[in-house]
Amino acid sequence: MSIRPQPDRVIIFDTTLRDGEQSPGATLNVEEKLAIAHQLALLGVDVIEAGFAVASPGDFEAVKIIAQQVGGAGRPIICSLARAIPQDIQAAAEALQEADRPRIHTMISTSDIHLKYQLKKSRSEVLAIAEDMVAYAKSFVDDVEFSPMDASRTDRDFLYQVLERAIAAGATTINIPDTVGYCTPKEMGTLIQGIRENVPNIDTVILSVHTQNDLGLATANALAAMENGVRQVECTINGIGERAGNAALEEIVMALQVRKPYFNPYFGRPVDSDFPLTNINTQEIYKTSCLVSQLTGMLVQPNKAIVGANAFAHESGIHQDGILKHRQTYEIMEAASIGLPENRIILGKHSGRNALRTRLQELGFDLSETDLNKAFTRFKEVADKKKEMSDWDLEAIVRDQIQLQVDSGFQLEHVQVICGDCTYPTATITVVTPDGKILKDATVGTGPVDAVYQGINRLVNIPNQLIEFSVQSVTEGIDALGTVTVRLRHQERIFSGQASDTDIVVAAAYAYINALNRLHRYLQMQPNKLQSKALNSPTSHN
Ligand code: KIV
């Protein structure tokens, strides 16, 4: 039994694409997952949990493509989740084949409540399955992570036995999930200490935690676990995930950075060591947060720690006075440290393609020639209406571009609205179907957005229920770009879309089409897909 050298920093295991995607409505398609995985690699995460390969053909494809395109030599470890079931492990192994450093993460519930009501298995059966399935995963890859689900509510002696057997069978990382977000930080510390003291072979593996946020304690629990010897944390961008979500990557990383002198001794370092405690390039945090929010349609609450719109805003007079006299009176970290761009006004309608390319490169967007041309066309359209374009406007344009690339399907060709206090709000809409048919309609609604959405619904004809509509201003001022986010429900699933424009009715129309395109794609992948009747619509013209 050889002791595994423990890293003197924290391994960041990002599960945005697996647990994060389990947030209702956050469903991502393969291209979107790939775009996020590329950004996670730039951010510097150590492990990307790319999905749950057996869950659907889309999940399998996403893990496979991420393994191929993001999991090369010197890049992050690519991981797939697998229940402790042979088919799951086989699917994970197959999807991960092209990763330079593949990891299979296998899990089985261990708490009595899960065993009795969900698995309907005895403790001895679970013990045997855990051991066998870790060994089976090990027959495909060297790097096997094992999670005893609902560990924090599991009988301690049974938990120690399961862990010992999983390690003996070949697990290299042991992950302790607080699956229902039940622990307090002190309890988490005691749980980890107990494992370290009672599992004889625990020093041969990396110890990890997965903390859910049901009581708002996910980040605190992850940090408490680290203080007790855990060296890997599972987390997601913006803290998205099942129910109330997971520990937020940005919170953990910035806590370790801002409070380095506090955490250093837990990692065996001198208090004043300046060596980073994670491999994360913090300057990529803001961009990653925006990308995940845009593609999942999960808005970041304004008061969210680190990445919320108010995180670096100072409203009270006393605070503003302090900040003006000496920043650190009220600021514990700089906005620049997470890559939050200053809202500099930089370009206008006379700026050329080169100026746009240069500024986008400075902001970290390296666009292909085709994408730059598309972004430039959009930039000119917006700059015609809005004289001065700030960095935040440019980012909104590029993020729209990313979404449009992945949302090919129905295209909105034209939207026009007449509204006011003495007329019926009326919308005229032109939509091009995925196979090139041009559909037109005019509709009356209770307001301009209702008229537009009714018109689009009549043309596209995919049943859905709009469950959320929100508008956020990208910058200040009456000529600001507005970003519209919509979420719609079809049966039990939720789909989101987002778009920005100086005209919020136009942004609303594009956001709706984006969400419908995701729903349309989903339906096309279903065996008994519900066909859009748009192609037979009487209003269609070739
Ligand atoms: O919440 C949980 O228990 C999980 C495990 C698979 C780590 O997501």
Side-chain angles (χ1 to χ4, degrees), residues 188-199:
M188 177 55 86
T190 313
L191 170 63
I192 299 300
Q193 267 173 25
I195 291 170
R196 293 187 67 202
E197 282 161 16
N198 292 288
V199 179

Side-chain angles (χ1 to χ4, degrees), residues 18-19 81 105 107 147 149-150 175 177 179 210 212 234:
R18 199 278 297 167
D19 202 315
L81 184 66
H105 175 191
M107 51 104 172
S147 288
M149 192 139 97
D150 206 16
N175 178 50
T179 302
H210 176 106
Q212 296 282 154
E234 301 201 351

Side-chain angles (χ1 to χ4, degrees), residues 473 475-481:
S473 154
T475 49
E476 289 150 14
I478 50 170
D479 66 347
L481 278 179

Side-chain angles (χ1 to χ4, degrees), residues 239-419:
I240 63 172
E242 187 85 38
R243 304 184 309 280
N246 288 71
L249 179 148
E250 62 277 7
E251 293 173 15
I252 291 172
V253 168
M254 292 314 287
L256 291 171
Q257 163 134 329
V258 172
R259 301 299 312 278
K260 209 183 290 162
Y262 171 82
F263 285 104
N264 272 336
Y266 293 109
F267 290 80
R269 304 171 178 195
V271 170
D272 57 359
S273 164
D274 209 28
F275 208 68
L277 282 167
T278 69
N279 267 355
I280 295 295
N281 173 4
T282 63
Q283 304 229 337
E284 291 291 327
I285 285 179
Y286 175 73
K287 187 140 51 89
T288 316
S289 162
C290 290
L291 180 69
V292 169
S293 169
Q294 159 100 11
L295 294 183
T296 58
M298 305 271 298
L299 295 181
V300 175
Q301 75 199 55
N303 60 329
K304 164 83 182 63
I306 319 292
V307 290
N310 295 350
F312 293 93
H314 300 277
E315 181 69 20
S316 105
I318 298 174
H319 288 210
Q320 286 174 353
D321 175 60
I323 287 280
L324 290 173
K325 289 179 175 145
H326 185 75
R327 276 209 95 73
Q328 275 123 347
T329 48
Y330 288 93
E331 243 177 46
I332 58 168
M333 59 194 143
E334 287 177 20
S337 66
I338 62 153
L340 188 79
E342 277 178 58
N343 191 21
R344 280 199 287 155
I345 291 170
I346 204 93
L347 301 178
K349 71 173 182 176
H350 299 298
S351 307
R353 191 184 312 261
N354 256 340
L356 179 68
R357 184 205 316 266
T358 308
R359 188 60 197 147
L360 286 177
Q361 275 168 351
E362 284 165 7
L363 291 171
F365 294 105
D366 220 350
L367 302 191
S368 69
E369 208 51 36
T370 325
D371 291 341
L372 179 71
N373 287 343
K374 287 188 196 150
F376 186 62
T377 309
R378 184 78 187 113
F379 163 76
K380 283 287 181 187
E381 281 165 14
V382 178
D384 249 351
K385 299 184 209 155
K386 187 178 189 307
K387 286 193 196 66
E388 294 174 323
M389 300 279 281
S390 71
D391 287 343
W392 293 358
D393 294 320
L394 297 185
E395 291 204 329
I397 288 176
V398 175
R399 286 201 296 270
D400 272 8
Q401 202 65 51
I402 293 169
Q403 186 165 339
L404 285 177
Q405 270 167 21
V406 295
D407 279 352
S408 55
F410 291 95
Q411 304 293 325
L412 181 71
E413 186 152 287
H414 169 81
V415 54
Q416 187 189 337
V417 175
I418 300 168
C419 62

Side-chain angles (χ1 to χ4, degrees), residues 25-27 293-298 403 407 485-488 494-498 511 514-516 518:
T27 319
S293 169
Q294 159 100 11
L295 294 183
T296 58
M298 305 271 298
Q403 186 165 339
D407 279 352
T485 305
V486 298
R487 282 149 79 80
L488 42 96
I494 297 173
F495 301 83
S496 64
Q498 212 176 64
N514 288 341
L516 283 172
R518 288 177 174 185

